[in-house]
Amino acid sequence: MKHILLVDDVSTNLKCEGMILQDIYKVTMLKAGEEAIEYLKTTIPDLMILDIRMKNMDGYEVMEHMNGNPATANIPVMLLTADYKQESRARGIALGAIDFITKPVDPQTLLDRVAAVWETEE
């Protein structure tokens, strides 16, 4: 079973995203970028779904940290945000994000985008 790490500082969002994915994937949910960095020291998920706007350490900073570590640099990352600005998308893609999903999250869109990550493996 594929393992997805969800990182979002809003509990309601985290629970909703987790509920959408938990029947198909193993899901770990964390509420802060710093927690994600700590978690990645011991566990490498198959995919990270990362909120951009979080307190203390935002999603971009998490990605910069991941990119600087060979053990985490190749983890696929989908960015999740309420920000519709093209600059935000461009920055995320420049940091290596494989997808960019806007909130509020449509359940079927999230499932389809996550499934697409592994379609090439089949």
Side-chain angles (χ1 to χ4, degrees), residues 1-7 14-15 17-30 39 47 49:
M1 180 178 283
K2 297 288 188 184
H3 179 200
I4 298 174
L5 176 59
L6 283 174
V7 185
L14 201 57
K15 288 176 187 170
E17 296 151 12
M19 286 177 59
I20 294 166
L21 298 166
Q22 69 186 6
D23 289 340
I24 303 169
Y25 306 101
K26 176 184 176 189
V27 178
T28 300
M29 297 181 275
L30 300 175
Y39 183 82
L47 173 67
I49 300 176

Side-chain angles (χ1 to χ4, degrees), residues 58-118:
D58 68 22
Y60 299 127
E61 291 171 287
V62 172
M63 287 192 71
E64 287 167 357
H65 191 280
M66 291 171 63
N67 289 341
N69 180 346
T72 58
N74 294 319
I75 297 170
V77 176
M78 286 184 175
L79 291 175
L80 192 61
T81 188
D83 187 345
Y84 289 83
K85 294 179 188 164
Q86 182 57 34
E87 300 84 47
S88 298
R89 178 183 296 268
R91 183 174 177 196
I93 299 301
L95 285 168
I98 61 166
D99 206 345
F100 191 94
I101 301 171
T102 53
K103 295 178 185 178
V105 174
D106 172 67
Q108 192 59 53
T109 299
L110 181 60
L111 288 169
D112 291 347
R113 296 259 184 96
V114 168
V117 172
W118 298 294

Side-chain angles (χ1 to χ4, degrees), residues 42-62:
T42 59
T43 307
I44 301 297
D46 297 297
L47 173 67
M48 178 187 275
I49 300 176
L50 180 63
D51 186 21
I52 293 176
R53 292 194 176 168
M54 296 184 289
K55 298 177 188 96
N56 300 323
M57 179 183 276
D58 68 22
Y60 299 127
E61 291 171 287
V62 172

